[in-house]
Amino acid sequence: PIWPCLEALEALDQAQELAPAYGLPKAMAAWCWGQRAAYHFAPSPRDDAARAVRLAAEACRLAPADALVLTLASGALTLAHRLGEAERVLDRALTLEPGSPWAWVRRAWASAYAGDAPAALRQFSTTLHLMPFEPVRHLAFIGIGCAHLVAGRYGRAARWAQDGVAASPDSFWGERVVAAAAYHAGAREEARRSVRRLLRRDPTLTASVAR
């Protein structure tokens, strides 16, 4: 997904030039820069994450009552590990649009990042109740895998995350969860296979970067 991400950023640069006071292109760009940092699309993840945070702040300032803008901004903040800020933005987004599966899936991921497995599982369940199909479904499956991993239920974690990756092979970053969960579940050979699949898609990935 690195090339679509780069193409999106080029288009979003143009959109920001044409409409500098419009929050949505900045929020979308923040999300792309956050993904670029978190998923190892470029060798400068700290710079990319810092740019994502700046754009997210600008988007929230420009569109404080737009639930989609706030949801995208929160995703960028979560990927940059600015979890407190992300949760505050998500609370606003869900107040504005409580039935948004996009806001709920981002709320669930923020809980998973924060290590709150019970909350993450409840929120992913809400997400799937609101939208039990793609493009949200595989994200929720991988996220449920993360929540089980946090809770130490490694076998469940590996199965959920693997189902999510199988549903959307372009989300190969989910193999990180599969590999870690399978290893801790004692399925060492499955963990090795998962790592091999991951390295075929991202040959420069290291353990420290994934951690």
Side-chain angles (χ1 to χ4, degrees):
I2 183 171
W3 299 116
C5 185
L6 291 173
E7 292 172 2
L9 284 170
E10 290 177 3
L12 289 165
D13 281 344
Q14 296 176 17
Q16 290 177 76
E17 290 177 8
L18 291 169
Y22 187 35
L24 185 57
K26 292 185 185 298
M28 294 176 71
W31 173 236
C32 287
W33 283 106
Q35 288 187 312
R36 180 179 153 110
Y39 302 139
H40 201 215
F41 290 167
S44 55
R46 289 185 180 180
D47 292 342
D48 294 346
R51 187 163 184 174
V53 169
R54 288 196 299 273
L55 284 164
E58 290 178 27
C60 291
R61 178 179 56 81
L62 289 169
D66 187 317
L68 179 58
V69 167
L70 297 175
T71 298
L72 288 164
S74 77
L77 292 167
T78 299
L79 291 175
H81 292 272
R82 305 286 283 265
L83 301 182
E85 295 172 53
E87 289 185 0
R88 288 191 291 273
V89 171
L90 278 165
D91 286 344
R92 298 211 316 262
L94 285 167
T95 298
L96 290 163
E97 195 171 333
S100 167
W102 299 105
W104 276 109
V105 77
R106 293 267 50 95
R107 189 68 185 81
W109 272 105
S111 294
Y113 268 62
D116 189 346
L121 289 171
R122 288 195 304 272
Q123 292 154 358
F124 280 123
S125 295
T126 299
T127 300
L128 289 171
H129 175 75
L130 292 167
M131 185 184 281
F133 46 84
E134 297 297 355
V136 164
R137 185 172 177 268
H138 76 278
L139 294 174
F141 278 23
I142 297 172
I144 289 170
C146 283
H148 283 303
L149 180 65
V150 167
R153 295 185 288 267
Y154 302 120
R156 290 186 188 181
R159 289 192 296 273
W160 276 99
Q162 184 56 62
D163 285 348
V165 175
S168 178
D170 278 345
S171 296
F172 62 88
W173 49 269
E175 291 281 6
R176 301 182 191 184
V177 183
V178 178
Y183 178 88
H184 287 296
R188 304 295 171 83
E189 186 53 40
E190 174 55 31
R192 292 188 185 96
R193 286 196 295 270
S194 185
V195 169
R196 286 195 291 269
R197 289 192 296 267
L198 180 57
L199 288 175
R200 281 197 292 271
R201 301 294 297 269
D202 188 359
T204 65
L205 184 65
T206 64
S208 62
V209 168
R211 191 160 51 239

